[in-house]
């Protein structure tokens, strides 16, 4: 059968030869979308495809910054790309990465399908783009762009035959992996939006790179990242559980397809190894997962999975796209899963109240504007919000706890009283209970600093969502001199705290019963006396919740807004690289989980165990080649030396994918002692 031309998307604009985006501000055309379309057309390769691809590529390449000043000096971002063809300046510095990630693989695989003159033009654009990428030299902590830098630079270096460019990419890959393995998970942690960029980019590198060492490193990095992703997917809802460092709001609202589909696609296409799927399909119904992204910045994350819901809390906010407290839960019969999240908001902003500069549409995010510290143990959490330092002139400041879809909320209680109408006031000390789908939520507001005569706590419906608003201020727009540091009146950051507990809907007959249960909790909520700050001294705020032997505590210095400690009934909470009932990671030379152990040299080692499927997977990224031993019930695998790689024992079969491997792996079968 004769091959057919590629079907064009509905938003293809034949006047511009690009994909159009229609917004309330006009019609726009992203260059990266054009580069992706061109690559798909060239890959399909029929004469009509190639004819159209030339036109698309000409438009995209004309959007590369190639201008010079009057004295001949090149533009500071010479070689980068406009984000939109409607631009006349490089606005988003990442545009060069997103364009080259399409153009370079296209030239690796199908350059001969383009006319020689166009080939040279594309190769020159790649050379200039790689030079701009090297000048920008993005921080390796900016994970998704750093990995795009790695992929473009390594593949671009091989394509152009430029050893210096290639080596720069290899060095950056090792540096990114080393930074990640100092802490646990990537700095840009647990993001449905950006982790997806990284996994796809690593897969693209593996698919196209000629260097086998680079491919093995990329597979090792992807395996560890895929394990984290699988452990955060909630099986019953299919959603990527929080907390999230950065995410676009459609994901928060569950308007996007369930991320479980994405993970399965990655396994099916080989972007992730097949064993990763067992971390989703063959694990306990209740699972706790703790990871650390960066100890020095306090980026610790914790997620609890229950059969019907998942709750996640981060130790602190990452930035404006953070989900510091996030829950997903089953809503039988509903179009999509239930979603709960929090924000601290100034001036009563809401989604779509302001413009997103990159794509000229109303913002796709509800920006987190506050500072936060949190702690979680199982289905219980404590949160401390405060205003940003020196907030300027504001008319309101509040924490907002948001249940998406008020119409699908079944019960609302404030203490002993069921709420029928909104808005509803929340008296001091009252427990708010919300029942929706198969989950209960109980919220007990804690200390809150009033910054004016009005600082209400109330339940409201806002654009179809149920919101618990905990105000620090509501009133005329005014500056707050007392909140400015440095400043002559500063006595510390305002308080806005809360306790949150979730439960299976089947655990309580109604919301009153859960409210009574939470009311039995003993709360300590204390703050040191005020004083005017001179840059020295602390004013500590301590909150603790205890009931039936379960203790959860959090302490922060209000002056510097610095975390002091977090604790449970077992003691202080540390910063685990990865800790769960099925997987662990450590730099201590040994890690154990599920009746198995991994011993390794200096570096980071992780271990995943799924005995019911007879799957054990282990990874090691060493500072130097070192011996590695994987022990499982009845079996021991010894490797004389390896530097970086993954060991998998599945159904009695061994596979080792490693860099710096010395000697053949040795497998020893041992008698299992039932008494052990």
């Amino acid at each position: 059968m004769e091959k057919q031309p590629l079907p064009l998307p509905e938003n293809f604009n034949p006047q511009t030869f690009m994909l159009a985006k229609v917004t309330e501000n006009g019609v726009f055309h992203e260059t990266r979308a054009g580069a992706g379309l061109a690559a798909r057309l060239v890959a399909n390769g029929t004469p009509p495809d190639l004819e159209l691809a030339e036109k698309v590529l000409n438009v995209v390449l004309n959007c590369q910054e190639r201008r010079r000043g009057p004295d001949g000096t090149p533009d500071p971002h010479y070689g980068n790309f406009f984000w939109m063809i409607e631009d006349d300046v490089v606005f988003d510095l990442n545009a060069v990465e997103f364009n080259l990630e399409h153009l370079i693989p296209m030239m690796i695989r199908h350059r001969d399908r383009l006319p020689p003159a166009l080939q040279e033009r594309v190769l020159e654009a790649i050379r200039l783009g790689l030079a701009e990428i090297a000048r920008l030299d993005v921080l390796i902590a900016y994970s998704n762009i750093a990995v795009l830098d790695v992929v473009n630079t390594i593949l671009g270096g091989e394509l152009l035959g430029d050893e210096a460019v290639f080596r720069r990419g290899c060095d950056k890959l090792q540096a990114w992996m080393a930074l990640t393995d100092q802490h646990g998970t990537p700095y840009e942690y647990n993001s449905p939006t950006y982790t997806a960029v990284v996994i796809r980019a690593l897969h693209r590198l593996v698919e196209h790179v000629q260097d086998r060492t680079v491919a093995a490193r990329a597979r090792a990095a992807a395996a560890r990242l895929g394990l984290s992703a699988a452990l955060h997917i909630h099986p019953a809802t299919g959603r990527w559980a929080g907390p999230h460092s950065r995410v676009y709001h459609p994901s928060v609202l569950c308007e996007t397809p369930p991320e479980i589909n994405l993970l399965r696609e990655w396994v099916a296409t080989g972007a992730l190894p097949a064993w990763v799927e067992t971390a989703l399909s063959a694990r306990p119904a209740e699972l706790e997962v703790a990871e650390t992204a960066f100890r020095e910045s306090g980026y610790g994350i914790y997620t609890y999975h229950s059969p019907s819901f998942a709750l996640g809390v981060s130790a602190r906010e990452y930035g404006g796209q953070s989900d510091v407290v996030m829950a997903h839960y089953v809503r039988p019969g509903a179009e999509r899963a239930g979603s709960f999240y929090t924000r601290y908001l100034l001036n009563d902003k809401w989604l779509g109240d302001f413009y997103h500069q990159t794509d000229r549409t109303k913002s796709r995010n509800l920006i987190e504007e506050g500072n936060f510290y949190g702690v979680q143990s199982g289905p219980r959490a404590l949160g401390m919000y405060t205003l940003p330092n020196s907030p300027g002139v504001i008319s309101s400041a509040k924490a907002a706890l948001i249940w998406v879809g008020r119409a699908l909320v079944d019960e609302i209680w404030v203490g002993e009283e069921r709420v029928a109408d909104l808005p509803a006031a929340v008296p001091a000390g009252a427990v708010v209970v919300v029942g929706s789908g198969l989950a209960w939520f109980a919220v007990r507001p804690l200390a809150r600093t009033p910054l004016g005569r009005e600082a209400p706590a109330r339940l409201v419906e806002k654009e179809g969502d149920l919101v618990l608003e905990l105000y620090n201020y509501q009133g005329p727009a005014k500056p707050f001199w007392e909140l400015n540091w440095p400043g002559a009146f500063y006595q510390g950051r305002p308080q806005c705290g809360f306790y949150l507990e979730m439960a299976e809907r089947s655990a309580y007959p109604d919301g009153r019963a859960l409210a009574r249960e939470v009311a039995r909790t003993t709360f300590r909520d204390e703050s040191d006396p005020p004083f005017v700050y001179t840059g020295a001294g602390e004013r500590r705020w301590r909150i603790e919740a205890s009931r039936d032997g379960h203790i959860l505590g959090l302490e922060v210095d209000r002056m510097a807004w610095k975390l002091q400690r977090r604790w449970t009934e077992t003691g202080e909470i540390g910063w685990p690289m990865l800790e769960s009932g099925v997987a662990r990671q450590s730099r201590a030379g040994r890690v154990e989980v599920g009746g198995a152990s991994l011993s390794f040299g200096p570096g980071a080692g992780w271990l995943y165990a799924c005995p019911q499927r007879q799957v054990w997977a282990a990874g090691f990224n060493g500072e130097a080649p070192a011996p590695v031993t994987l022990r499982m019930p009845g079996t021991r695998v010894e490797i004389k030396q390896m530097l970086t790689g993954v060991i998998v024992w599945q159904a009695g079969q061994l596979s080792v994918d490693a860099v710096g491997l010395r000697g053949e792996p040795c497998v020893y079968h041992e008698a299992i002692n039932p008494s052990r």
Side-chain angles (χ1 to χ4, degrees):
M1 182 177 178
E2 186 178 354
K3 192 172 188 180
Q4 297 300 306
L6 186 75
L8 294 174
E10 290 184 2
N11 63 333
F12 177 74
N13 185 340
Q15 279 72 49
T16 61
F17 305 115
M18 297 283 279
L19 303 182
K21 176 179 287 188
V22 181
T23 77
E24 60 265 56
N25 284 342
V27 180
F28 299 94
H29 305 80
E30 290 186 354
T31 58
R32 63 172 180 171
L37 174 61
R40 294 192 298 275
L41 289 166
V42 174
N44 203 51
T46 70
D49 288 324
L50 297 177
E51 181 181 353
L52 179 56
E54 288 188 47
K55 296 174 181 177
V56 176
L57 284 170
N58 281 324
V59 175
V60 172
L61 298 180
N62 285 340
C63 291
Q64 187 174 38
E65 179 58 81
R66 302 284 291 272
R67 294 170 296 186
R68 296 175 180 271
D71 62 352
T73 303
D75 185 277
H77 294 297
Y78 194 82
N80 212 314
F81 287 78
F82 306 148
W83 192 259
M84 308 281 190
I85 67 171
E86 289 75 20
D87 293 341
D88 191 44
V89 68
V90 173
F91 180 85
D92 190 320
L93 299 185
N94 299 333
V96 64
E97 303 285 7
F98 288 112
N99 276 278
L100 291 198
E101 74 164 333
H102 297 296
L103 298 180
I104 292 173
M106 178 188 76
M107 295 301 285
I108 290 173
R109 286 195 166 181
H110 305 300
R111 61 185 292 180
D112 59 334
R113 296 181 179 180
L114 300 176
L118 184 55
Q119 287 186 41
E120 287 305 313
R121 191 177 176 204
V122 175
L123 290 173
E124 179 63 12
I126 291 171
R127 288 189 190 94
L128 296 178
L130 291 173
E132 164 73 345
I133 287 172
R135 284 192 300 272
L136 292 172
D137 196 21
V138 65
L139 190 71
I140 54 174
Y142 191 6
S143 303
N144 79 100
I145 302 304
V147 173
L148 285 176
D149 177 342
V150 165
V151 175
N152 285 327
T153 302
I154 289 176
L155 295 181
E158 285 190 338
L159 172 67
L160 300 176
D162 191 320
E163 178 65 22
V165 170
F166 171 78
R167 184 51 49 196
R168 177 187 172 274
C170 294
D171 291 344
K172 194 147 196 167
L173 174 60
Q174 292 185 58
W176 175 73
M177 292 177 67
L179 173 70
T180 302
D181 283 337
Q182 284 295 321
H183 305 278
T185 198
Y187 190 92
E188 207 172 29
Y189 60 80
N190 197 46
S191 167
T193 306
Y194 297 104
T195 301
V197 172
V198 175
I199 289 175
R200 291 186 182 114
L202 291 171
H203 184 45
R204 187 175 296 112
L205 181 58
V206 170
E207 283 187 308
H208 294 95
V209 73
Q210 300 172 35
D211 189 284
R212 296 174 63 185
T213 295
V214 168
R217 287 188 186 278
R219 286 191 293 267
R224 172 62 181 87
L225 202 55
L227 175 60
S228 179
L231 292 177
H232 281 92
I233 299 287
H234 182 241
T237 61
R239 305 308 311 199
W240 194 314
H244 305 133
S245 60
R246 303 175 62 208
V247 69
Y248 285 119
H249 216 62
S251 296
V252 177
L253 303 181
C254 296
E255 293 175 345
T256 55
E259 291 85 6
I260 192 171
N261 299 337
L262 194 59
L263 186 128
R264 288 171 174 160
E265 176 192 328
W266 289 336
V267 170
T269 59
L272 295 179
W275 60 261
V276 166
E277 191 275 336
T278 66
L280 176 63
S281 63
R283 73 186 199 205
E286 290 189 56
L287 184 69
E288 301 176 46
V289 184
E291 291 186 280
T292 298
F294 201 79
R295 287 186 301 275
E296 290 82 352
S297 297
Y299 293 144
I301 66 175
Y302 183 99
T303 304
Y304 170 76
H305 294 277
S306 183
S308 300
F309 66 84
L311 172 65
V313 175
S314 60
R316 60 163 295 182
E317 84 287 348
Y318 181 95
Q321 292 176 299
S322 294
D323 289 325
V324 293
V325 180
M326 182 86 197
H328 296 95
Y329 56 98
V330 176
R331 277 175 161 167
E335 183 181 348
R336 53 182 181 257
S339 178
F340 165 86
Y341 64 102
T342 69
R343 291 289 187 270
Y344 197 91
L345 303 171
L346 303 179
N347 302 321
D348 287 317
K349 292 188 187 74
W350 200 250
L351 182 67
D353 286 350
F354 51 100
Y355 284 92
H356 187 281
Q357 292 177 313
T358 299
D359 64 7
R360 282 68 161 181
T361 62
K362 291 286 189 177
S363 178
R364 293 175 288 169
N365 303 309
L366 183 59
I367 297 297
E368 173 65 77
E369 297 184 282
N371 297 129
F372 176 85
Y373 284 115
V375 63
Q376 181 183 358
S377 178
R380 304 171 185 85
L382 290 170
M384 292 178 168
Y385 263 124
T386 194
L387 284 76
N389 186 40
S390 303
V393 176
I394 58 174
S395 58
S396 75
K398 67 183 178 188
L401 284 65
I402 304 161
W403 289 264
V404 177
R406 162 70 180 94
L408 294 177
V409 170
D410 305 311
E411 297 183 35
I412 305 173
W413 295 76
V414 177
E416 297 281 320
E417 301 297 324
R418 186 162 182 171
V419 173
D421 299 312
L422 299 175
V426 177
V431 177
V432 174
V433 174
V434 173
S436 181
L438 299 186
W440 288 114
F441 297 79
V443 180
R444 165 66 150 77
L446 299 173
R448 194 156 33 93
T449 306
L451 298 174
R453 293 185 300 276
E454 293 187 41
R458 64 192 183 193
L459 287 156
V460 301
E461 182 173 336
K462 191 170 183 67
E463 296 192 17
D465 292 342
L466 175 65
V467 184
L468 173 57
E469 297 179 322
L470 303 176
Y471 278 90
N472 288 110
Y473 179 72
Q474 185 180 46
K478 58 165 283 188
F480 286 85
W481 294 3
E482 64 269 38
L483 300 184
N484 295 337
W485 175 253
F489 300 93
Y490 182 69
Q491 297 185 21
R493 304 285 280 276
Q495 301 163 281
C496 190
F498 61 89
Y499 170 81
L500 169 66
E501 183 172 330
M502 290 189 69
E504 292 281 333
R505 194 73 179 274
S506 59
Y508 296 93
D510 58 22
R512 179 190 288 113
L514 177 55
R516 287 175 175 172
E517 180 68 12
V518 173
R520 295 197 304 109
T521 306
T522 299
F523 292 99
R524 290 178 54 211
D525 191 354
E526 307 162 343
S527 182
D528 293 342
F531 65 93
V532 177
Y533 195 49
T534 60
E538 295 178 341
R539 187 183 179 192
R540 298 199 176 197
W541 176 19
R542 293 167 292 275
I543 55 178
E544 183 181 86
S546 60
R547 186 175 84 243
D548 299 333
H550 294 289
I551 298 173
L552 192 60
L554 183 61
E555 183 175 295
V556 168
D557 170 30
R558 292 175 61 187
M559 292 305 198
W561 193 248
K562 182 179 180 181
L563 178 67
Q564 299 296 315
R565 61 191 185 106
R566 305 172 299 157
W567 66 94
T568 69
E569 65 275 6
T570 62
E572 298 279 331
I573 296 175
W575 303 95
M577 298 181 72
L578 169 62
E579 180 71 31
S580 81
V582 298
R584 289 194 177 95
Q585 186 175 14
S586 174
R587 295 186 64 85
R590 182 179 173 84
V591 63
E592 299 180 10
V593 69
S597 68
L598 180 73
S599 301
F600 49 91
W606 56 263
L607 176 61
Y608 163 72
C610 182
Q612 60 268 51
R613 294 279 185 87
Q614 291 294 292
V615 174
W616 289 267
F620 173 61
N621 190 23
E623 298 171 7
V628 176
T629 300
L630 172 62
R631 287 183 172 87
M632 300 149 292
T635 305
R636 182 175 84 254
V637 177
E638 290 189 356
I639 295 176
K640 186 175 294 184
Q641 200 172 81
M642 65 182 280
L643 176 59
T644 297
V646 177
I647 308 164
V648 179
W649 181 264
Q650 185 165 6
Q653 298 296 315
L654 174 68
S655 67
V656 178
D657 183 13
V659 174
L661 193 65
R662 180 183 169 195
E664 288 294 321
C666 296
V667 178
Y668 302 94
H669 297 289
E670 304 166 331
I672 299 175
N673 186 347
S675 65
R676 289 184 181 177

